[in-house]
C-alpha cells in the first residue's frame, strides 16, 4: 500500500470514527473506579497492579484481521476516576503489542491508533499515530513482523480523572498481505493512584517541622 494513501486513510478514518451502541460497565476498587464501553469486539477486561501503579487491558481477538482491505476497529472508550481518599498522579501510559503482519513480494500493510484524551473532564489532546513496525523476518519475497505502540503523558500535577473517547485502531493490507492479532495482541493502560494525606497527617507533619526548626535554632544559639 502506498504510504501516502495509507496516511490519507488513517486521518480520514479516525475523523469518521463514531462509537455506537455502547454498553457502559463500571468496576470499582479501593483506589479507583473505571467505567468503560463493553460493547466492542475486545470483550472482557483484565486488571493488574504493582504498588501504586495500576492498569487494565484487553486481548485483541483473532477476528481483528485484514487481507486485501482495511478496517477501522472500535476500541473501548473509558474513564478512570480516583475514589474518595485517593488521587491520580504521574504518567498515564498506553500500550499495544504484537499485532502481526505478513507481506509477500511488493505487498504492504499499515496500522495506526487514535482517540481523544481528557483530563478532569476537559479535552487535553486528540491523537492519531501510526504504530511502530518491527520486522522479525526478511526474506526475498517475504517480510513478517509485528506492529506495536507505546505512549505516555505526564500532566505534571495530581488529577481526579482521565479518559479516552473515540478510541479506534486502523489496520490495512494490500492483496498478498495480512495484519492480524492472532489472538495474542494486547491493549493496556497504566496509571498511578496514591492516598491523599488526611488533615491530621498534615498537622503532624507541620508539628514535626516546627520541632525541627526549634531544635536547629537552639543549637545555633549555643
Amino acid at each position: 500500500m502506498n504510504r501516502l494513501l495509507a496516511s490519507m486513510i488513517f486521518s480520514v478514518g479516525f475523523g469518521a470514527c463514531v462509537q455506537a451502541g455502547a454498553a457502559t460497565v463500571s468496576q470499582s476498587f479501593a483506589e479507583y473506579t473505571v467505567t468503560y464501553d463493553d460493547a466492542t469486539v475486545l470483550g472482557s477486561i483484565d486488571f493488574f497492579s504493582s504498588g501504586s501503579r495500576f492498569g487494565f487491558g484487553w486481548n485483541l481477538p483473532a477476528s481483528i484481521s485484514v487481507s486485501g482491505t482495511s478496517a477501522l476497529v472500535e476500541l473501548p472508550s473509558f474513564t478512570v476516576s480516583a475514589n474518595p481518599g485517593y488521587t491520580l498522579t504521574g504518567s498515564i501510559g498506553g500500550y499495544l503489542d504484537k499485532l502481526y503482519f505478513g507481506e509477500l513480494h511488493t505487498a504492504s500493510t499499515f496500522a495506526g491508533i487514535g482517540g481523544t484524551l481528557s483530563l478532569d473532564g476537559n479535552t487535553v489532546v486528540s491523537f492519531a499515530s501510526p504504530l511502530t513496525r518491527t520486522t522479525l523476518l526478511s526474506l526475498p519475497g517475504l517480510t513478517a513482523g509485528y506492529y506495536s505502540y507505546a505512549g505516555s503523558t505526564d500532566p505534571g500535577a495530581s488529577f481526579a480523572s482521565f479518559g479516552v473517547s473515540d478510541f479506534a485502531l486502523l489496520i490495512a493490507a494490500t492483496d498478498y498481505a495480512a495484519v492480524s492479532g492472532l489472538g495474542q495482541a494486547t491493549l493496556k493502560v497504566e496509571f498511578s493512584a496514591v492516598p491523599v494525606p488526611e488533615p491530621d497527617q498534615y498537622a503532624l507533619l507541620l508539628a514535626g517541622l516546627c520541632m525541627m526548626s526549634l531544635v536547629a535554632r537552639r543549637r545555633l544559639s549555643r
Side-chain angles (χ1 to χ4, degrees), residues 17-222:
C17 180
V18 177
Q19 291 192 320
T24 302
V25 175
S26 292
Q27 181 74 49
S28 187
F29 298 89
E31 301 84 359
Y32 70 96
T33 296
V34 58
T35 302
Y36 62 96
D37 173 17
D38 194 39
T40 70
V41 297
L42 268 62
S44 61
I45 188 172
D46 296 315
F47 297 91
F48 55 90
S49 64
S50 177
S52 63
R53 196 70 176 165
F54 301 89
F56 53 88
W58 297 265
N59 286 324
L60 277 63
S63 60
I64 298 179
S65 178
V66 296
S67 180
T69 186
S70 63
L72 188 63
V73 181
E74 181 182 349
L75 301 177
S77 291
F78 62 86
T79 300
V80 175
S81 302
N83 285 343
Y86 288 86
T87 187
L88 304 178
T89 186
S91 64
I92 302 167
Y95 310 94
L96 191 152
D97 196 19
K98 297 300 186 293
L99 188 62
Y100 291 98
F101 69 85
E103 302 163 350
L104 294 178
H105 301 292
T106 59
S108 62
T109 58
F110 177 83
I113 194 168
T116 300
L117 173 67
S118 62
L119 201 66
D120 289 337
N122 301 311
T123 298
V124 175
V125 64
S126 292
F127 61 93
S129 174
L131 301 189
T132 299
R133 177 185 171 102
T134 300
T135 299
L136 298 176
L137 179 66
S138 182
L139 298 173
L142 172 62
T143 303
Y146 65 87
Y147 287 104
S148 61
Y149 174 82
S152 65
T153 183
D154 191 339
S158 60
F159 48 100
S161 67
F162 74 94
V164 174
S165 58
D166 300 325
F167 205 14
L169 171 70
L170 177 65
I171 52 177
T174 61
D175 290 335
Y176 306 107
V179 177
S180 176
L182 298 178
Q184 299 179 39
T186 57
L187 173 66
K188 295 181 180 180
V189 178
E190 293 185 0
F191 57 94
S192 295
V194 296
V196 176
E198 297 295 334
D200 57 343
Q201 291 178 309
Y202 281 119
L204 286 173
L205 177 60
L206 182 58
L209 291 174
C210 288
M211 288 296 295
M212 290 174 64
S213 177
L214 180 61
V215 169
R217 287 184 178 182
R218 286 183 175 179
R219 287 179 176 176
L220 289 174
S221 63
R222 290 180 180 177

